[in-house]
């Protein structure tokens, strides 16, 4: 008579454990989708910044060619990387190359060239602010996802390889 009660109790415990892990999986899946959407928005904004570079290059005088070569190489590298860490490093190089170009322009360019570059520079500045907001959003989503991986049943999913932490930008 005791055996059916023990079987029922074990079945309820097993069902509860499965539901506990299932709920953790659903929560992680939701957080993963949010993080992926933030990553897509960030990548799109970064691409929009890189799309402005040819216009800047076209407006720059030819005697600044070393800075343009560095900028072109940094832009190519940023466009052809995979992964969050590699993208962050490439974008840092690109940002530094753009800053060096603008410094050189400020020092050497004519007023006519500076007037030609100013709208592009302002647009790039606005886009950079948007990118910074999207970086923050992505990092927040990635941090939430990583924090969820450390709680409750999600640790089981991490230990069996069904989920793993992600990098911040």
């Amino acid at each position: 008579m005791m055996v059916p009660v023990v079987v029922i109790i074990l079945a309820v415990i097993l069902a509860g454990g499965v539901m506990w892990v299932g709920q953790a999986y659903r929560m992680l899946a939701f957080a993963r989708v949010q993080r992926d959407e933030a990553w897509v928005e960030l990548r799109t904004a970064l691409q929009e910044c890189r799309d402005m570079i040819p216009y800047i290059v076209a407006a720059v005088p030819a005697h600044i060619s070393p800075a343009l070569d560095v900028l072109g190489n940094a832009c190519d590298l940023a466009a052809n990387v995979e992964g969050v860490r590699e993208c962050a490093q490439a974008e840092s190089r690109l940002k530094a190359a753009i800053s060096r170009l603008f410094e050189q322009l400020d020092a050497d360019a004519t007023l006519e060239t500076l007037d030609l570059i100013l709208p592009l520079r302002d647009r790039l500045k606005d886009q950079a602010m948007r990118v910074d907001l999207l970086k923050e959003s992505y990092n927040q989503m990635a941090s939430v996802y990583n924090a969820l991986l450390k709680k409750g049943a999600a640790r089981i999913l991490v230990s069996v390889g069904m989920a793993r932490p992600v990098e911040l930008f």
Side-chain angles (χ1 to χ4, degrees), residues 93-150:
R93 286 186 202 109
L94 180 59
K95 191 174 183 178
I98 291 170
S99 294
R100 281 193 300 273
L101 175 66
F102 286 151
E103 287 171 10
Q104 190 171 4
L105 283 172
D106 290 342
D108 299 338
T110 65
L111 286 176
E112 182 181 285
T113 302
L114 291 174
D115 287 342
L116 187 62
I117 295 283
L118 186 62
L120 295 169
R121 198 173 189 172
D122 289 341
R123 195 168 146 211
L124 191 62
K125 183 179 171 185
D126 292 343
Q127 189 65 21
M129 286 191 298
R130 181 172 178 254
V131 164
D132 288 341
L133 289 173
L134 292 172
K135 281 181 195 177
E136 186 178 318
S137 175
Y138 169 79
N139 285 337
Q140 188 174 26
M141 295 296 169
S143 295
V144 166
Y145 180 80
N146 289 340
L148 288 173
L149 290 176
K150 297 175 184 175

Side-chain angles (χ1 to χ4, degrees), residues 28-74:
L28 285 175
F30 178 75
R32 186 181 315 117
V33 167
Q34 297 296 313
R35 185 207 65 220
D36 290 346
E37 288 174 359
W39 177 241
V40 167
E41 284 184 65
L42 176 57
R43 293 281 300 214
T44 301
L46 291 170
Q47 180 60 44
E48 289 171 3
C49 283
R50 287 190 300 272
D51 289 344
M52 283 188 260
I53 302 237
Y55 298 106
I56 293 170
V57 169
V60 171
H63 72 277
I64 303 181
S65 64
L68 294 178
D69 290 341
V70 171
L71 180 61
N73 291 339

